[in-house]
Amino acid sequence: GDRRVRAQSEFRIVEAGGRFIVSPGAPAKLLAAGASAQVPVIPGVATVTEAMTARDAGFRFLKFFPAGPAGGPPVLKAMAAPLPDLVFCPTGGVSPDNLADYLALPNVVAVGGSWMVPENLIAQGKFDEIAILARRAVDRARQLRP
């Protein structure tokens, strides 16, 4: 049943070369399956309660999603005090304009954003241009946090 479907999905990700799994949310079934996955799993959270639930399931690296609508850097800054053992990768509303605000936080170890992978470039198969955008983002992040 359900466990077999999850195992098959994880197998397909690993078979395709995936070295980790990122989810926009953290439902109980994902947390249970992720705890024994062959690759690291990064569940998504938007609230302190969700972050605490993921931590209780053994996760310390979490996706903060949707970062902008969920309150952005001020929320992550506020989470640092009661959840000092957690680190985040915010996505959803992260852009070159607010990248520095996120990376200035000690509990943010990485960021993600769709500005690096525009739909039109994907549709046109211009993966070399996507690689350039991703490299620029990495270079910018390294300037902000060497």
Side-chain angles (χ1 to χ4, degrees), residues 31 50-60 62 82-86:
L31 294 176
E50 292 172 350
M52 292 172 75
T53 300
R55 180 181 63 190
D56 289 350
F59 296 90
R60 297 290 183 267
L62 305 171
L83 305 170
D85 55 331
L86 299 182

Side-chain angles (χ1 to χ4, degrees), residues 8-142:
Q8 288 173 347
S9 295
E10 178 189 340
F11 177 74
R12 285 195 304 266
I13 290 167
V14 173
E15 187 178 62
R19 295 190 295 195
F20 56 91
I21 298 169
V22 181
S23 170
K29 288 181 181 181
L30 179 128
L31 294 176
S36 62
Q38 296 175 2
V39 296
V41 175
I42 305 168
V45 301
T47 68
V48 171
T49 299
E50 292 172 350
M52 292 172 75
T53 300
R55 180 181 63 190
D56 289 350
F59 296 90
R60 297 290 183 267
F61 182 18
L62 305 171
K63 176 178 176 170
F64 181 56
F65 176 81
V75 170
L76 284 171
K77 183 177 181 182
M79 284 186 181
L83 305 170
D85 55 331
L86 299 182
V87 294
F88 298 89
C89 175
T91 68
V94 179
S95 72
D97 295 333
N98 62 18
L99 185 67
D101 298 332
Y102 285 102
L103 291 175
L105 300 171
N107 60 345
V108 171
V109 296
V111 298
S114 58
W115 83 91
M116 294 179 280
V117 285
E119 287 184 34
N120 65 317
L121 294 183
I122 293 171
Q124 296 169 20
K126 294 186 176 181
F127 300 108
D128 54 336
E129 291 183 35
I130 292 171
I132 290 168
L133 292 173
R135 253 186 247 108
R136 284 184 190 152
V138 168
D139 290 345
R140 176 73 176 128
R142 285 187 176 142

